[in-house]
Amino acid sequence: MSAAQARAVRALAAPIVEGLGCDLEDVVIRQAGRRRLVRVVVDHDGGLPLDLVAEISRVLSRALDEDDPFGQAPYVLEVTSPGVDRPLTLPRHWRRATGRLLEVRLHDGSLVEGRLLDARRDAAVLDVAGHDRVLSYEQVARATVQVEFTRIDDVELDEAEGSDADAAQDAEA
């Protein structure tokens, strides 16, 4: 797709997305059969609620129909949030990942895995094997959130249930 069309969509989308309290992360336009797929990636502190996605989609669709950057060519608009595989490249990405497990590749080639405790303006603090480690963003070559199948709350709940079962066994004995 043309870079001019992507710029036009970005120019339309940015004030709409920002006006609704979100950040415009990316605009991707691809050919999908006879139509264009217009993917607008937005993010929001605390996650992206579905009603906010619907509102952005409604307002942006109306603006695209009025501005008509694709001429008569049909398009499909998709408003989405960044996937978990999105690299953390800006301080706000780090801030939104607070509490999550990260894998961080440093420019020196080393790999750091830890839970993000704090995201500052110029550095992040990770819990790495029980110790705080401060990494400046300049040290980071690539950082991504790791998918966890067991949430911390689930582990704490399992431990609490286990101690209740232990107490019940002790009471029976």
Side-chain angles (χ1 to χ4, degrees), residues 59 81 94 123 138 153 170:
V59 174
S81 62
W94 289 80
E138 291 176 357
D153 296 342
D170 291 343

Short mmCIF file of all heavy atoms in Angstrom, two decimals, residues 59 81 94 123 138 153 170:
data_model
loop_
_atom_site.label_atom_id
_atom_site.label_comp_id
_atom_site.label_asym_id
_atom_site.label_seq_id
_atom_site.Cartn_x
_atom_site.Cartn_y
_atom_site.Cartn_z
N VAL A 59 -15.80 6.43 15.36
CA VAL A 59 -15.40 7.79 15.01
C VAL A 59 -14.40 7.78 13.85
O VAL A 59 -14.52 8.57 12.91
CB VAL A 59 -14.82 8.52 16.25
CG1 VAL A 59 -14.28 9.88 15.88
CG2 VAL A 59 -15.89 8.65 17.33
N SER A 81 -5.46 -3.56 19.92
CA SER A 81 -4.40 -3.21 20.87
C SER A 81 -3.13 -3.95 20.46
O SER A 81 -3.19 -4.93 19.73
CB SER A 81 -4.80 -3.59 22.29
OG SER A 81 -4.99 -4.99 22.38
N TRP A 94 6.87 0.29 28.74
CA TRP A 94 7.42 -0.30 29.96
C TRP A 94 6.46 -0.07 31.12
O TRP A 94 6.17 -0.99 31.88
CB TRP A 94 8.79 0.28 30.27
CG TRP A 94 9.87 -0.15 29.33
CD1 TRP A 94 10.12 0.34 28.08
CD2 TRP A 94 10.83 -1.18 29.55
NE1 TRP A 94 11.18 -0.32 27.52
CE2 TRP A 94 11.64 -1.24 28.40
CE3 TRP A 94 11.09 -2.04 30.61
CZ2 TRP A 94 12.69 -2.15 28.29
CZ3 TRP A 94 12.14 -2.93 30.51
CH2 TRP A 94 12.92 -2.99 29.35
N ALA A 123 14.82 4.58 32.86
CA ALA A 123 15.28 3.25 33.25
C ALA A 123 14.13 2.43 33.81
O ALA A 123 13.09 2.97 34.19
CB ALA A 123 16.38 3.36 34.31
N GLU A 138 18.76 2.70 27.40
CA GLU A 138 19.85 2.72 26.43
C GLU A 138 20.59 1.38 26.38
O GLU A 138 21.18 1.04 25.36
CB GLU A 138 20.84 3.85 26.75
CG GLU A 138 20.24 5.22 26.51
CD GLU A 138 21.19 6.33 26.91
OE1 GLU A 138 22.29 6.05 27.43
OE2 GLU A 138 20.83 7.50 26.70
N ASP A 153 -1.63 -14.27 41.34
CA ASP A 153 -2.77 -14.43 42.24
C ASP A 153 -3.17 -15.89 42.35
O ASP A 153 -3.56 -16.35 43.42
CB ASP A 153 -3.97 -13.62 41.76
CG ASP A 153 -3.70 -12.13 41.78
OD1 ASP A 153 -2.74 -11.71 42.47
OD2 ASP A 153 -4.42 -11.38 41.10
N ASP A 170 -4.21 -31.37 60.20
CA ASP A 170 -3.66 -31.29 61.56
C ASP A 170 -4.76 -31.36 62.60
O ASP A 170 -4.62 -31.98 63.65
CB ASP A 170 -2.86 -29.99 61.74
CG ASP A 170 -1.58 -30.00 60.93
OD1 ASP A 170 -1.15 -31.10 60.49
OD2 ASP A 170 -1.01 -28.90 60.72
#
